Every structure is written in structure tokens, then in C-alpha cells.
Amino acid sequence: MNFFKKLNYLILTTSIILASCSSDDDAIQNLSGENNLTIEFDNSFNGDDLLLGTSTYVNGNNETLTINRFNYIVSNFVLIDAEGNEYTYPKDAGYFVISEEEEMTEVMLQNITAGEYVSVRFGVGVDREKYLQGAAGQGDFLQVAEETNMMWSWQAGYKFLNFEGSFTSPTVSTATDFKIHMGSHGSSLDNYKEVTVNFPTAALVSDALSPVVHFEVDANKILDGNTKILLSEKAVVMVDEVKSPQIAVNTTGMFRVDHVHNGENIDH
């Protein structure tokens, strides 16, 4: 009798699993229409929430930071589906400032074609093609950048990253201001970079599904990334032919997708 009970349980469990898989497969196969895809940027520092002006953080260079500003530009979004097909978001609508101090931490990509998206590629900064369209070609984004301290001037260009605060270190005992402003300068220093980030689970878009992709963005990587940048050596980096490109590469390492919500009206 126990044998038959176990057999029936196994059959029932297998049926439920197969039905669930079939349901998921049907949902994916029936994706149609279009909808919005939202990207949330949760700013952090080495695993801790980023709190401007109120918390201190220690990086791998043994420097203690108080962060007062953490702004960056993201742009040129391309969604990649499970088959490797790419959906390119309209370029003129695809430039956004992420600003912790202004609570601008969400990007909504509108009217995305239905699909099972497994990764996203995007730029950090403003590409040269867009900049060369001139001030008139920037649309509303130019004003947004000016209002969020992401411009030096039109001639000098955009700040792709604006990272400011104060620090101490074993060699700097008095709190000292730091400013890391990274962007492109002239024709010889192009710091615009692109990064591709995989999703832990697919983002499903359809006329009934509007996913939310939740990024964790680690500001620690700016100084403590592929190249170690010591504030005790240089606390203000703006136009630097050596350190600016290094910071640009470090910045691409900030981004990781923590989770994906598939659905509508989800409390995230």
C-alpha cells in the first residue's frame, strides 16, 4: 500500500511540475503586443545602502568616505532576447540622469515590443554622435543635465559621472573634499562606455506584462574597481588623461541586476 501511495504522489508531483512548465512555456510563447519596461537603480556602496551625507564608507584603499553626490548618465538602451535578437530603444528618447540626491533613480522604457529579454546593453554617458548634434539636437535632456549638475558647459560637454564628498585616509587625517567628474573632452578623450548586464531571470514583456528590472549599483567600484584610484593622491579628478579613462572603465563595473519582477502593479 505504501508503494502505491508513493507512486501516486510521484505521479501527482510530476504532473504539477509539467503543468507549471507548460504554463510558463505557454506564457512565453504567447507574448504579444507591447508594454513598458522599468529599470530601477538602487545605489549602494560595497553592499550597503548609499545614504548621502549621513554615513561613512570604507573602500579597499583604506579611505573613509562621506558621499554627498552620486549622479551618472545612462543612455542608448538595447534589450536582448533569449534568441539573441536586439530591441533598440529610440535614441532621441534614450538619455537619462540617475541622481541619488534628486531621487531620480528610475527609468521607464516605453512601448517595448513583446519578448523574453535576458540582458540589456546601455551606455554610461553621452556618445559623441549625440553630442555632435549640437545643443539644438539634445532635446529636453540638455536642460535635465544642467539642472542636475551634469554639465561643465556646452563647449566642455556633459559630465557622465558626478561623484562628490569628503574623505580621510591613513595619510590624510583631516576631512578633505573630493570631486570625481568624468566625461569626454575634445577629440582625443572619449570616455563614453557601454556595458552589457545579464538578468538572473528573463524579463517578460507583453500587452499584459510590464516588468521591473532592479539594478544594484555599487559606487565603491568607481575608486576600488579594475584600477585603484587613491583620493589621497589626487582628490579632484576632472580632466585627466590618465585617471579619467580609468574611472570610465571602473564605472562600467558598478552595475548588476539583483532581480526582475514580471507583472503589473507589483509592490517593489
Side-chain angles (χ1 to χ4, degrees):
M1 187 69 175
N2 288 336
F3 169 78
F4 288 107
K5 285 183 177 180
K6 291 179 180 178
L7 181 61
N8 288 333
Y9 176 77
L10 179 62
I11 293 172
L12 178 60
T13 301
T14 303
S15 298
I16 292 173
I17 293 173
L18 290 175
S20 176
C21 292
S22 176
S23 177
D24 290 345
D25 289 343
D26 288 344
I28 292 172
Q29 291 174 1
N30 293 327
L31 297 176
S32 61
E34 61 181 27
N35 215 322
N36 301 332
L37 182 147
T38 300
I39 301 177
E40 292 183 341
F41 294 88
D42 185 3
N43 297 316
S44 63
F45 193 98
N46 201 21
D48 295 326
D49 287 342
L50 182 62
L51 302 175
L52 296 182
T54 60
S55 294
T56 58
Y57 306 92
V58 180
N59 64 22
N61 305 323
N62 202 21
E63 296 170 332
T64 301
L65 283 66
T66 300
I67 300 167
N68 298 325
R69 174 169 289 159
F70 182 44
N71 298 352
Y72 49 94
I73 294 174
V74 290
S75 60
N76 294 317
F77 285 86
V78 178
L79 296 167
I80 304 166
D81 71 15
E83 303 300 322
N85 302 308
E86 297 186 350
Y87 175 89
T88 301
Y89 195 67
K91 186 175 181 64
D92 287 344
Y95 295 82
F96 307 90
V97 172
I98 305 301
S99 172
E100 185 67 21
E101 63 183 325
E102 298 295 337
E103 298 183 350
M104 298 166 59
T105 58
E106 184 174 287
V107 165
M108 179 178 286
L109 304 181
Q110 298 181 321
N111 303 320
I112 303 299
T113 300
E116 177 191 3
Y117 296 104
V118 297
S119 61
V120 61
R121 183 172 70 249
F122 59 94
V124 181
V126 177
D127 55 289
R128 192 173 298 280
E129 177 186 349
K130 181 66 172 178
Y131 179 71
L132 291 177
Q133 291 178 1
Q138 308 304 301
D140 295 337
F141 180 70
L142 180 58
Q143 181 177 347
V144 173
E146 290 174 337
E147 293 174 349
T148 53
N149 297 289
M150 298 305 285
M151 293 287 296
W152 279 292
S153 66
W154 176 246
Q155 290 74 21
Y158 291 100
K159 300 173 187 176
F160 301 169
L161 170 72
N162 188 333
F163 183 51
E164 299 181 355
S166 61
F167 79 101
T168 59
S169 74
T171 59
V172 181
S173 58
T174 302
T176 301
D177 290 344
F178 72 83
K179 292 184 178 181
I180 307 296
H181 296 177
M182 183 273 294
S184 295
H185 310 283
S187 59
S188 61
L189 194 59
D190 186 358
N191 285 323
Y192 172 79
K193 303 293 181 185
E194 290 191 336
V195 58
T196 300
V197 183
N198 296 327
F199 300 162
T201 55
L204 305 180
V205 178
S206 73
D207 51 9
L209 294 172
S210 177
V212 178
V213 178
H214 188 99
F215 270 80
E216 183 175 299
V217 184
D218 186 3
N220 180 56
K221 298 294 186 182
I222 296 168
L223 305 175
D224 193 13
N226 187 63
T227 301
K228 305 297 183 183
I229 307 294
L230 273 68
L231 295 173
S232 56
E233 291 182 354
K234 190 172 185 179
V236 177
V237 179
M238 293 191 183
V239 182
D240 189 305
E241 292 186 358
V242 175
K243 291 184 182 295
S244 291
Q246 292 171 342
I247 291 168
V249 173
N250 281 358
T251 300
T252 64
M254 297 193 305
F255 302 96
R256 180 183 69 86
V257 174
D258 184 73
H259 58 272
V260 176
H261 288 303
N262 283 306
E264 292 183 308
N265 302 320
I266 295 176
D267 183 8
H268 52 270

